[in-house]
Amino acid sequence: MSQIEKLISDLVEELESRFRHLPDGFHSTWDYTETGNAFSHPVTLGLITAALGRLCPDLLVSIDTRFNTDVKFQPDITLLDGELNPCLYIDYESPNSSDARIPSKDVDAYLAFSRSIRERIPYIIMTTLPNAQTPKWQLRYSGKGYYNDGFGKRLGAIRANPFEFWYAHYRQELAGRDMEGIHFLNISDREIQRCSVVQEPAAEA
């Protein structure tokens, strides 16, 4: 097992342990993403930071670092060595942002930045999508010209299983991109699963 694979495995175990203390529905509803009760993103970032601090005591955890050289890249969390060299980037997407924007906002931004620095540092994208029927799941920014333009008419399919719907979309959108070093994790209720965004080859007839 590679170093990054072990860290991801340990991080998943550590976070799932911490998730047990969260309120019911914290990661499976929009209750903690609404205005006035928007705890899902900041609390989850805090839990990830605390978990990394325990798992990697010799490294530094940096929040919202702006790597703006020729190409803008601003991950939620960066793990740094003692000389401030990045070892890992993490972006956490709450229910409000686990949607159609991820291929462009996260993956393409990372790929462009990696090309600009000529280095591929491991990158984790963590989504929040229930792997179950979720009748009250929301879809925002679906008006003309917004990220989710065209998906409003598919809200029924999204609610049937948000995880399956959006990861099928990611596989389609990301086909042909170089996904080396990019790792997807998804939070469904209190569980985290590794996710593949590589399309399986079609079975031969």
Side-chain angles (χ1 to χ4, degrees):
M1 180 183 292
S2 69
Q3 188 173 3
I4 183 61
E5 292 293 334
K6 184 179 187 310
L7 176 56
I8 290 173
S9 178
D10 291 345
L11 180 61
V12 167
E13 182 177 352
E14 181 77 16
L15 288 176
E16 286 186 337
S17 175
R18 293 169 186 265
F19 286 176
R20 291 200 297 266
H21 304 288
L22 294 172
D24 289 341
F26 191 85
H27 285 124
S28 59
T29 71
W30 283 63
D31 293 352
Y32 298 92
T33 309
E34 302 287 0
T35 300
N37 203 45
F39 291 105
S40 61
H41 192 267
V43 167
T44 304
L45 287 184
L47 293 175
I48 296 170
T49 299
L52 289 172
R54 196 188 80 79
L55 295 171
C56 308
D58 296 329
L59 299 176
L60 303 171
V61 182
S62 178
I63 305 299
D64 201 30
T65 307
R66 290 164 168 80
F67 296 99
N68 297 341
T69 53
D70 294 334
V71 177
K72 179 181 178 180
F73 184 55
Q74 191 173 325
D76 289 325
I77 295 173
T78 304
L79 199 59
L80 304 166
D81 67 18
E83 297 181 352
L84 303 182
N85 298 305
C87 307
L88 174 69
Y89 306 123
I90 299 177
D91 270 315
Y92 168 65
E93 305 297 351
S94 69
N96 186 48
S97 53
S98 294
D99 53 21
R101 76 191 80 173
I102 284 177
S104 59
K105 184 180 76 71
D106 292 344
V107 175
D108 287 347
Y110 167 79
L111 292 176
F113 178 71
S114 296
R115 286 191 296 268
S116 75
I117 63 171
R118 298 182 180 179
E119 188 174 10
R120 189 65 72 94
I121 294 163
Y123 178 41
I124 297 173
I125 300 170
M126 189 177 298
T127 55
T128 312
L129 293 164
N131 190 7
Q133 185 175 15
T134 312
K136 294 184 180 180
W137 198 252
Q138 297 184 35
L139 179 70
R140 296 179 180 173
Y141 312 106
S142 59
K144 187 173 179 59
Y146 287 92
Y147 286 111
N148 295 320
D149 184 0
F151 286 96
K153 59 187 177 183
R154 304 182 68 184
L155 184 56
I158 293 171
R159 287 175 169 173
N161 190 303
F163 168 77
E164 290 185 354
F165 179 90
W166 285 117
Y167 270 84
H169 175 72
Y170 300 155
R171 292 185 194 101
Q172 182 178 23
E173 286 294 305
L174 295 172
R177 286 177 173 83
D178 179 4
M179 300 300 290
E180 179 187 356
I182 304 176
H183 308 268
F184 275 81
L185 300 176
N186 181 67
I187 302 171
S188 178
D189 198 12
R190 288 184 166 88
E191 296 183 354
I192 304 174
Q193 64 188 107
R194 294 288 301 270
C195 305
S196 173
V197 294
V198 177
Q199 286 186 319
E200 297 294 331
E204 294 184 5

